[in-house]
Structures are given as C-alpha cells and as structure tokens.
Amino acid sequence: MAGHDIVKAARKGSAALLPALLLTACATTAPQAEAPRPRYAATDIPAQAETTPVGTAAADAADDPAIWRNAANPAASLLLGTDKKAGLYVYGLDGKVRDFSPAGALNNADLREVRMADGSRRILVGASDRTDRAEPRIALFALDGASGKLAVLGAQSFLKPGHAPAEAYGFCMGAPLAAGELARAYVVLKDGTVAESRLVDRAGTIAAEHLRDVKFATQSEGCVVDDATGTLYVAEEDVGIWKVPLAPATLSGEAYARVGEADGLVDDVEGLAIAREADGRAWLVASSQGDNAYALYDLASGKLAGRFRVNGGGLGGTSETDGIELIVGDFGPTFPEGVFMAQDGDNAPHAQNFKMLSWASIKAALGLR
C-alpha cells in the first residue's frame, strides 16, 4: 500500500523526484528473508528395510504409502506407494516390486477391505488422481492379496458439473457411515477443501458420490480417519493438525496440534497415520517435514508422546517426508508388532523410495512400552 501511494504521488509531483520515490517504493516491497526453521529434539531410529526406488528419477516423485496386512500369512503382507509422476507400486515386505500400475499422477493412496453387494470381499485401493489439475478424481484399484497384482477399476469424478477447477492432492478412506456404502473417501483439494464422498457398489462397479465439504484456510494434504471414534484428521501444512468429527451433518474442524506448539511440529505438516493397539492405546503420527522428523501423539489427549527421526544404520535415513503409514499387528519376524513406512525425499544417488521401521523399535526407542 505504501509503495502504491508513493508512485501515485510521484505522478502528481515533480519529475525530478521520481527516481528517489521509486527507490523508496522498492525498499518498502522488498521480500524478507525466510526465517530458518527450528530443529527440535528427536530420537534417531535406523530403518530396517526399504523399497526399490520409484521409476521417476531426478524428481520429487515418491509420495504416499499404504499397507495391507495379510492376517492369514503376515509375512506375505503388501506395501503400496505412489510415484506421483507415473502411478502406483505394490511391494512385498522385502521392499521388492510386486506390481506397478501406470495410472498417471497419483498423489496419495489408502486402502480398505470392503464387502461388495454380492457378498464378496475386495481389497479396495484408492488414490487422489491429479492427472487433470482442474478435475479431481479418485483412482480405484482392486488389490489381489495372493499375487500382489492391481486391477484398475477406473478413475471416478465426484464433484458436481460446473464446479470451480480444483486439484486433487491428499486422500484417505474411512469406514461407511450409512447403509449401502462400501466406504467413505476424502479428497483433500490443494486449496484446503476436503471433499467427502461415499463409495457405493453399482452392479459391480464402484462409484463415488460427493456428499459434503469442510474447508481449511490454506494448502492442506495429509489426512487419516479414526474409525473407532468417527473422526477425520487433516494436516494444514503451515498451520497444524485439525480434528473433524464426522457425525454432525455439517463438518467443522477443531484444532488438534499446531506448528511450533510444545516443540512438536515444524512446517510443512505432511502425512498422518493412526495406530490403535490391542491394549486400547491409540497414537497419531505426523510427518514434521520442516525438521525431517515424526511427531507421535497420544490420540485421545493430543499430548505429544515423543519425536523420532529415521537415521543411522546401513540403509540411510529419511528427509523431507511427504506420506507416512503405520499399521499395527503381526507382520512376521522382521515387524512383529507393526510396520511404519515413510517416504524418503532424498535417496541420492538413487530415485526416491520408502523406508520401513518396526513399530516395536519405535516404541522401545521412545519408552512407550
């Protein structure tokens, strides 16, 4: 505003004053240097495994993981991860590629086991599809737990015709909230809008039907649903984590954790994951991307329970993490209590990949046993 007023005055005054006035205007509008981000204390924990790098080299490509636990044969469980330039990977617990679907620019992924209308069970995988930056879609797949192969079910548009252009960004799924649904899907648009849709079975074809929105002020991405309480958690990148109860007809957010609060989060706040253990304890993990760490909260109280970094060991650490996932339970001898999976933004000299840690090692390092 000051610069605008100065230039306007110069037009009315003497031409001899113009250079000095313009210099003053430039001085008032010069960008300020960005303050360095803090680096809070965190416990170093080495990775126990890693995936084969994604196929897109020399780019920010790997983004968000999902995990399917094979209850019948835990060691044969499967990991999924997006290459946001190219498609979706399936890995074994050894990190080797089992399948790849070249489905386009898929950013975030999640999965659910659902029961179709005919009674059959399906491992349903969904991802935010940003191939068309103006038309958000949900890319859907069926995962074969035995072979690790993906079957493409198609990309579903879900917003009503005539809506403003919007870019799909974050994605997560939750349990159905009404009869006749397979699941609820939440697409976080890049402007901070979270669009909720129900996924339904239409004669064997899964369709998305948009229901309602909740809007946050700035760019958001990470999200996760706690089925036990019917609550959605959303990461507004520069602000913190919001808690959204899903029972009310109108969605609204309550502050859960803020950037810089209690030395927990450094912006950007990225991926979120929830773990409920058999003893009743529940945790929320968030990627504190700004200081290459992960913040762990007691889910019910919102109190910070610890912070850790993936660092040390022969596989290298993680940095600039976007997506994360944590699933508890028996995953075989390497991951006896659960798997934590995190995108690694700098896996040089190779392309980006995902690192895996045992949940048991995280709890032991943070004294949570």
Side-chain angles (χ1 to χ4, degrees):
M1 187 67 178
H4 175 71
D5 290 340
I6 288 169
V7 173
K8 185 164 65 174
R11 287 174 181 159
K12 294 181 178 180
S14 169
L17 295 176
L18 184 59
L21 291 170
L22 288 177
L23 284 173
T24 304
C26 290
T28 62
T29 57
Q32 299 297 312
E34 184 178 343
R37 288 183 173 92
R39 183 178 172 86
Y40 299 142
T43 300
D44 288 344
I45 308 174
Q48 291 174 252
E50 65 179 342
T51 66
T52 300
V54 299
T56 302
D60 180 23
D63 195 278
D64 190 54
I67 301 172
W68 175 70
R69 180 177 174 272
N70 186 334
N73 183 7
S77 298
L78 298 170
L79 314 172
L80 291 87
T82 58
D83 179 334
K84 61 188 175 186
K85 311 291 186 183
L88 182 64
Y89 282 92
V90 181
Y91 308 94
L93 289 179
D94 59 2
K96 295 180 180 178
V97 175
R98 298 289 193 271
D99 196 20
F100 174 70
S101 179
L106 306 184
N107 207 57
N108 286 22
D110 201 359
L111 60 84
R112 290 272 160 167
E113 294 193 41
V114 301
R115 185 180 296 276
M116 302 295 286
D118 63 5
S120 63
R121 304 287 298 183
R122 180 176 284 182
I123 305 169
L124 178 63
V125 180
S128 51
D129 187 343
R130 59 196 294 213
T131 304
D132 183 341
R133 298 299 173 94
E135 179 64 32
R137 299 185 181 92
I138 301 171
L140 295 173
F141 307 84
L143 173 65
D144 186 319
S147 67
K149 302 300 182 183
L150 290 166
V152 176
L153 302 180
Q156 291 281 328
S157 295
F158 55 91
L159 294 182
K160 294 177 174 62
H163 70 83
E167 181 180 343
Y169 206 41
F171 181 79
C172 56
M173 289 195 286
L177 298 178
E181 300 176 353
L182 300 175
R184 289 283 171 105
Y186 300 87
V187 179
V188 185
L189 307 179
K190 206 165 188 179
D191 69 354
T193 300
V194 183
E196 180 190 47
S197 298
R198 65 177 192 150
L199 300 179
V200 295
D201 180 359
R202 292 180 178 167
T205 298
I206 299 176
E209 298 177 351
H210 179 247
L211 297 174
R212 53 187 179 168
D213 296 335
V214 61
K215 178 72 168 68
F216 298 99
T218 60
Q219 182 170 303
S220 306
E221 182 178 2
C223 69
V224 65
V225 177
D226 178 23
D227 289 337
T229 60
T231 306
L232 170 71
Y233 294 84
V234 179
E236 187 178 2
E237 295 184 357
D238 293 339
V239 176
I241 303 169
W242 294 90
K243 176 180 178 180
V244 184
L246 297 174
T250 301
L251 300 179
S252 61
E254 307 166 7
Y256 181 81
R258 295 188 180 277
V259 166
E261 179 181 62
D263 295 348
L265 297 170
V266 180
D267 60 318
D268 293 351
V269 186
E270 292 285 343
L272 301 178
I274 286 176
R276 282 192 172 274
E277 300 194 81
D279 62 6
R281 293 186 299 175
W283 314 96
L284 184 145
V285 189
S287 169
S288 177
Q289 190 186 71
D291 69 343
N292 298 326
Y294 309 93
L296 180 67
Y297 295 88
D298 178 279
L299 182 64
S301 68
K303 292 182 179 178
L304 184 68
R307 301 179 84 251
F308 65 97
R309 292 187 173 92
V310 181
N311 196 26
L315 299 178
T318 59
S319 60
E320 300 178 2
T321 293
D322 287 326
I324 61 173
E325 182 60 291
L326 169 61
I327 301 293
V328 299
D330 177 17
F331 281 80
T334 305
F335 307 101
E337 296 181 35
V339 179
F340 174 78
M341 187 175 177
Q343 179 256 8
D344 183 7
D346 184 5
N347 190 42
H350 308 291
Q352 295 178 348
N353 71 346
F354 300 88
K355 301 291 197 296
M356 288 86 78
L357 279 68
S358 166
W359 175 230
S361 69
I362 296 172
K363 289 197 297 182
L366 298 182
L368 300 177
R369 292 202 170 277

